[in-house]
């Protein structure tokens, strides 16, 4: 009898709970949105999507005294899991659960205030435009064109000056002022970029930098969800992304997880006491804040890996501000961590990105960076992220690549890091006179260090970028050396990145290393320019020749499986000559660097294992053919690039 009673009670409880769950699901009737209401000052992310693996979404809500409000949502498939108050009364953080049953559409979030009044914010869930698997990142088959948008082309002079912003006007004579380049300027010259042979474009950040000075470079964001109106609109940004996609090209977004700009809107009212690092110091001294007051990073990035590093050194590196105008974000605050991760995903979906370049990768909290990259790669398994690690030590570069067997068991979830080590090796190798330990051996031994990398072909290599002297300046104005540097870059097992203007030998000789000069205006990007690199008008013979050289190299590279994924074999430099080959089943490409100014006879028996004896090879640049026999005459200094593929 007792057993029967127990069974009946169990069945009754189960029925009650089952009914309760069914009723709960069925009782949620989506409230119709008669009109969009925006009573709340700020909700971020501004909208979201259905269909993510991670069904959690955290909303940052900013409004006067919103912290005392009770939020409610009546929309099928969406529920409020948790509500968090911040230290500031002007914030609420809402954890939403978005189930697989949720449909795209608009719904209202109602905030009931203490006085029984109500604020209403209409929020939208959108349908995703394509499956997550279709977000294809960059890889070794790509060649990336890096652009400083303010200095590339000014297609819309009407947005040169925007009322209400802290920095006004343009001055093209000042390397640190705005020059007027914009998103339309990039979009309108995609034919030029595509014809050169590039397959991806990486613009430096174009989110708003409403800073009193230096706002052109983009790395001091003052709103992570807003395009800088001097670069254009979100529509312009989408147009660039869409235009690239129609050409089977990719847009890489330059993001910053480490810091923001001092004029970011939240710096006027920080949500938590630990939203930024050294926040107490800043708040005590903000009226007299300058480089002397700031606790800046010690920039000792090796503390991320150093088994002997003091905790003090690590914290000074990770928590210190990059500069006084860039507050260091505290990713150990879970709300900040969610904010940054969701922001990255929002931009991937909004623009259909083909990759992210993450600035100053070793500076944020490294546990967070692993979680951040992991969250993105979990949602987008074919995506790519490259992190900036400015180090000439391959051990440090390799540490940050996913799957690397680190002693501390750290896994970054990061597909690619940046090869500053090889950049220096190339520059040194071509500048130095040949000897046992100088010259081409630097490139040879630099490439030999690939044993330190989990996947060398997924590392991004370059000869220069927006933060260092241009390669033509590094190589002392030597055109032939510059060609050798670039051809080697494009042949290596790497993802190559080339800075805009390299194709016309842009330089910073007048003041080497000066950022304003490194980021010089691209000739022809402004109405009235006497030289136009887009059309070739006014270019010197050397500039035109370099354009042609890179165009041939890049366009050949587009279809070369050997260069994309082939086996690499190289031979130690001898007598000022260095030979490297890329080998696939259907092609062998041979790259010969010759530093000799006099004619040099190259004995080919040494390269027998390449299996080229008796084969006809074509020069990629000159289209001349030769038969690989016993020797080859190198008539002049420079690169010779040969392929077994019929041209």
């Amino acid at each position: 009898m007792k057993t029967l009673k127990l069974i009946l009670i169990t069945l009754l409880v189960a029925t009650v709970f089952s009914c309760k769950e069914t009723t709960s699901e069925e009782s949620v009737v989506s409230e119709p949105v008669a009109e969009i209401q925006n009573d709340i000052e700020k909700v971020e992310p501004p909208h979201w999507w259905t269909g993510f693996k991670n069904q959690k979404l955290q909303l940052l809500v900013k409004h006067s005294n919103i912290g005392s409000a009770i939020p409610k949502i009546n929309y099928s498939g969406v529920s409020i899991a948790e509500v968090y108050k911040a230290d500031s009364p002007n914030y609420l953080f809402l954890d939403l659960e978005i189930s697989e049953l949720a449909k795209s559409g608009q719904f209202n979030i109602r905030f009931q205030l203490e006085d029984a009044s109500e604020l209403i914010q209409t929020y939208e869930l959108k349908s995703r435009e394509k499956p997550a698997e279709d977000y294809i990142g960059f890889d070794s088959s790509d060649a990336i064109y890096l652009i400083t948008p303010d200095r590339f082309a000014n297609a819309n002079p009407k947005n040169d000056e925007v009322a209400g912003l802290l920095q006004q006007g343009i001055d093209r004579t000042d390397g640190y002022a705005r020059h007027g380049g914009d998103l339309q300027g990039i979009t309108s010259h995609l034919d030029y970029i595509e014809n050169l042979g590039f397959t991806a474009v990486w613009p430096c950040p174009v989110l708003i930098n409403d800073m009193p000075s230096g706002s052109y470079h983009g790395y001091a964001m003052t709103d992570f969800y807003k395009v800088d109106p001097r670069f254009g609109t979100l529509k312009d940004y989408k147009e660039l992304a869409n235009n690239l996609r129609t050409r089977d090209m990719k847009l890489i977004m330059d993001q910053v997880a480490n810091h923001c700009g001092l004029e970011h809107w939240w710096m006027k009212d920080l949500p938590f006491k630990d939203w930024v690092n050294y926040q107490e110091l800043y708040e005590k001294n903000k009226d007299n804040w300058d480089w002397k007051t700031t606790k800046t990073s010690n920039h000792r990035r090796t503390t991320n890996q150093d088994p002997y590093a003091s905790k003090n050194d690590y914290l000074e590196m990770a928590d210190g501000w990059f500069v006084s105008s860039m507050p260091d974000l505290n990713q150990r605050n879970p709300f900040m961590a969610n904010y940054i991760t969701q922001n990255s995903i929002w931009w991937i979906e909004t623009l259909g990105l083909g990759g992210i370049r993450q600035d100053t990768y070793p500076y944020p909290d490294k546990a967070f960076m692993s979680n951040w990259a992991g969250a993105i790669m979990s949602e987008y398994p074919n995506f790519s992220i490259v992190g900036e690690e400015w180090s000439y030590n391959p051990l440090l570069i390799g540490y940050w690549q996913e799957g690397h067997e680190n002693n501390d068991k750290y896994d970054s979830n990061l597909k690619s890091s940046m090869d500053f080590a090889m950049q220096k090796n190339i520059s040194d190798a071509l500048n130095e006179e040949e000897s046992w330990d100088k010259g081409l051996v630097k490139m040879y031994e630099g490439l030999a260090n690939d044993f330190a990398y989990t996947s060398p072909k997924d590392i991004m290599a370059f000869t220069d970028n927006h933060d260092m002297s241009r390669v033509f300046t590094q190589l002392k104005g030597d055109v032939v050396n510059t060609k050798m540097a670039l051809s080697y870059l494009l042949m290596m097992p790497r993802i190559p990145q080339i800075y805009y203007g390299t194709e016309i030998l842009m330089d910073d000789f007048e003041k080497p290393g000066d950022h304003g000069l490194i980021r010089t205006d691209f000739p022809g990007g402004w109405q009235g320019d006497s030289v136009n690199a887009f059309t070739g008008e006014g270019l010197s013979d050397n500039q035109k020749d370099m354009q042609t050289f890179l165009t041939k190299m890049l366009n050949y590279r587009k279809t070369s499986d050997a260069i994309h994924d082939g086996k690499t074999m190289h031979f130690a430099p001898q007598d000022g000559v260095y030979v490297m080959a890329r080998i696939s089943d259907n092609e062998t490409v041979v790259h010969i660097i010759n530093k000799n100014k006099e004619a040099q006879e190259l004995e080919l028996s040494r390269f027998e294992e390449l299996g080229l004896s008796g084969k006809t090879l074509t020069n990629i640049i000159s289209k001349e053919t030769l038969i690989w026999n016993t020797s080859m005459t190198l008539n002049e200094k420079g690169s010779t690039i040969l392929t077994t593929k019929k041209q």
Side-chain angles (χ1 to χ4, degrees):
M1 194 69 181
K2 279 185 179 179
T3 306
L4 182 60
K5 225 174 182 180
L6 186 61
I7 292 170
L8 287 171
I9 290 168
T10 305
L11 286 171
L12 182 61
V13 170
T15 304
V16 168
F17 273 98
S18 176
C19 289
K20 200 170 183 181
E21 286 176 14
T22 306
T23 306
S24 174
E25 283 294 322
E26 291 177 352
S27 65
V28 178
V29 179
S30 300
E31 173 191 352
V33 177
E35 60 178 285
I36 295 173
Q37 291 183 250
N38 292 297
D39 294 344
I40 302 297
E41 179 186 333
K42 194 178 290 287
V43 175
E44 292 182 341
H47 63 259
W48 203 243
W49 294 265
T50 58
F52 282 114
K53 290 180 187 175
N54 183 0
Q55 296 181 347
K56 298 182 186 301
L57 171 65
Q58 187 170 89
L59 297 182
L60 177 155
V61 181
K62 170 78 163 62
H63 195 83
S64 180
N65 291 314
I66 197 68
S68 60
I70 299 172
K72 293 181 180 178
I73 293 174
N74 187 20
Y75 190 74
S76 183
V78 179
S79 59
I80 299 176
E82 294 285 348
V83 178
Y84 301 94
K85 293 184 178 183
D87 294 327
S88 165
N90 303 319
Y91 290 88
L92 267 184
F93 288 82
L94 311 183
D95 278 359
L96 305 188
E97 291 276 357
I98 304 171
S99 80
E100 61 275 5
L101 301 175
K103 305 292 185 186
S104 60
Q106 294 178 327
F107 58 89
N108 288 329
I109 308 175
R110 297 180 177 274
F111 296 88
Q112 186 177 336
L113 305 179
E114 286 181 320
D115 63 2
S117 63
E118 193 174 61
L119 296 174
I120 299 174
Q121 184 72 22
T122 302
Y123 200 75
E124 183 177 9
L125 286 179
K126 297 186 176 188
S127 296
R128 298 174 73 181
E129 292 187 5
K130 61 181 181 179
E133 293 76 14
D134 289 352
Y135 286 80
I136 308 298
F138 53 84
D139 59 29
S140 57
S141 68
D142 286 301
I144 298 165
Y145 195 58
L146 167 60
I147 296 172
T148 300
D150 182 61
R151 307 297 167 84
F152 188 63
N154 186 359
N156 182 12
K158 291 179 181 177
N159 63 25
D160 288 352
E161 192 160 349
V162 177
L165 298 183
L166 295 174
Q167 188 175 21
Q168 290 292 316
I170 61 171
D171 182 357
R172 292 182 65 196
T173 66
D174 182 347
Y176 293 87
R178 288 259 173 184
H179 289 194
D182 47 39
L183 286 162
Q184 279 182 251
I186 301 173
T187 303
S188 62
H189 291 103
L190 288 182
D191 282 348
Y192 171 79
I193 297 169
E194 183 182 18
N195 290 338
L196 279 172
F198 290 99
T199 61
V201 175
W202 156 21
C204 291
V206 296
L207 301 188
I208 187 167
N209 279 223
D210 190 10
M211 300 288 286
S213 63
S215 66
Y216 77 93
H217 58 67
Y219 290 95
M221 284 87 159
T222 54
D223 189 322
F224 285 96
Y225 284 98
K226 184 178 181 181
V227 175
D228 196 306
R230 291 161 291 194
F231 289 137
T233 63
L234 179 58
K235 183 182 176 183
D236 294 327
Y237 208 177
K238 287 181 177 180
E239 186 179 348
L240 172 60
N242 292 335
N243 269 271
L244 284 165
R245 230 176 345 265
T246 61
R247 298 164 185 265
D248 199 23
M249 297 171 71
K250 298 161 187 172
L251 175 63
I252 299 170
M253 185 176 185
D254 202 336
Q255 296 189 351
V256 186
N258 182 63
H259 51 262
C260 64
L262 191 59
E263 296 297 328
H264 192 289
W265 58 262
W266 60 40
M267 295 303 295
K268 310 294 188 288
D269 179 13
L270 290 156
F272 291 97
K273 291 174 182 174
D274 62 349
W275 194 246
V276 301
N277 292 316
Y278 293 111
Q279 186 168 318
E280 185 179 358
L281 176 68
Y282 167 70
E283 290 181 327
K284 282 182 180 177
N285 297 280
K286 61 183 176 182
D287 292 337
N288 300 298
W289 192 251
D290 58 20
W291 65 271
K292 296 176 186 174
T293 317
T294 311
K295 182 71 173 175
T296 52
S297 173
N298 60 18
H299 302 287
R300 301 298 180 188
R301 297 183 299 278
T302 53
T303 56
N304 279 299
Q305 298 88 0
D306 182 0
Y308 312 119
S310 68
K311 186 177 180 181
N312 179 72
D313 283 349
Y314 172 73
L315 290 176
E316 282 191 1
M317 191 284 299
D319 291 359
W321 290 27
F322 207 72
V323 292
S324 61
S325 59
M326 294 178 178
D328 201 70
L329 305 178
N330 178 23
Q331 301 87 15
R332 292 184 297 273
N333 179 304
F335 300 97
M336 173 62 81
N338 281 333
Y339 185 93
I340 296 169
T341 303
Q342 291 178 169
N343 179 257
S344 294
I345 290 172
W346 192 89
W347 282 110
I348 293 170
E349 287 288 328
T350 297
L351 298 173
L353 291 176
I356 290 172
R357 181 265 185 181
Q358 183 60 250
D359 188 58
T360 54
Y361 203 86
Y363 286 84
D365 180 76
K366 74 178 193 179
F368 162 76
M369 292 309 294
S370 174
N371 293 335
W372 169 82
I376 292 170
M377 296 307 295
S378 174
E379 293 289 351
Y380 307 96
N382 299 318
F383 198 65
S384 296
I385 306 170
V386 60
E388 179 197 29
E389 161 60 284
W390 194 321
S391 171
Y392 301 119
N393 183 345
L395 296 177
L396 299 184
I397 296 167
Y399 177 89
W400 295 107
Q401 193 174 30
E402 177 190 14
H404 195 269
E405 293 186 12
N406 295 314
N407 284 341
D408 62 1
K409 308 302 180 187
Y410 182 78
D411 189 347
S412 68
N413 292 306
L414 182 71
K415 185 175 179 181
S416 178
S417 47
M418 300 185 78
D419 201 349
F420 281 87
M422 187 55 78
Q423 179 276 322
K424 186 175 188 302
N425 286 328
I426 292 172
S427 181
D428 289 347
L430 295 171
N431 277 326
E432 294 172 352
E433 292 294 324
E434 288 299 298
S435 69
W436 174 255
D437 61 347
K438 287 184 171 61
L440 292 173
V441 71
K442 294 286 182 69
M443 289 157 73
Y444 170 74
E445 291 186 347
L447 196 62
N449 281 333
D450 277 10
F451 73 89
Y453 301 136
T454 302
S455 179
K457 74 185 183 72
D458 288 323
I459 291 173
M460 186 179 290
F462 50 95
T463 54
D464 61 7
N465 64 21
H466 57 295
D467 286 326
M468 61 172 60
S469 268
R470 286 182 170 271
V471 63
F472 191 49
T473 302
Q474 293 175 39
L475 299 177
K476 303 172 184 177
D478 189 313
V479 176
V480 175
N481 279 357
T482 304
K483 284 183 178 180
M484 288 195 288
L486 291 167
S487 58
Y488 188 70
L489 171 73
L490 294 171
M491 279 284 296
M492 285 193 303
R494 293 290 190 278
I495 303 166
Q497 166 254 297
I498 293 176
Y499 194 31
Y500 81 99
T502 300
E503 71 274 20
I504 56 164
L505 302 170
M506 282 172 63
D507 66 74
D508 53 304
F509 287 124
E510 190 179 326
K511 201 174 178 182
D514 179 76
H515 281 192
L517 194 55
I518 290 165
R519 303 160 186 174
T520 304
D521 292 352
F522 191 81
W526 279 255
Q527 192 171 0
D529 283 357
S530 57
V531 176
N532 190 334
F534 296 117
T535 63
E537 184 183 354
L539 292 180
S540 69
D541 289 342
N542 277 339
Q543 289 176 313
K544 289 178 181 177
D545 180 58
M546 181 58 83
Q547 264 187 336
T548 301
F549 177 81
L550 263 181
T551 299
K552 288 179 178 180
M553 277 293 305
L554 286 162
N555 279 286
Y556 183 83
R557 192 184 189 282
K558 274 184 182 179
T559 59
S560 173
D561 292 336
I563 298 176
H564 297 169
D565 295 303
K567 173 186 172 184
T568 303
M569 185 185 297
H570 65 164
F571 299 80
Q574 285 185 7
D575 302 321
V577 179
Y578 173 32
V579 176
M580 176 180 68
R582 304 297 308 282
I583 307 157
S584 66
D585 291 340
N586 60 359
E587 177 190 17
T588 296
V589 183
V590 181
H591 185 257
I592 304 169
I593 289 181
N594 174 33
K595 285 179 72 177
N596 298 288
K597 294 177 182 176
E598 309 295 330
Q600 183 81 3
E601 198 72 13
L602 185 65
E603 295 297 327
L604 300 182
S605 58
R606 183 178 172 221
F607 314 111
E608 184 179 353
E609 60 196 289
L610 292 178
L612 297 176
S613 182
K615 291 188 177 180
T616 300
L617 283 80
T618 304
N619 188 307
I620 289 170
I621 305 301
S622 70
K623 305 303 180 187
E624 295 173 339
T625 60
L626 61 84
I627 297 175
W628 190 278
N629 282 322
T630 55
S631 67
M632 177 192 307
T633 302
L634 303 173
N635 290 311
E636 57 188 4
K637 176 182 174 183
S639 287
T640 302
I641 309 106
L642 305 170
T643 178
T644 57
K645 191 188 290 185
K646 290 183 179 179
Q647 298 295 289

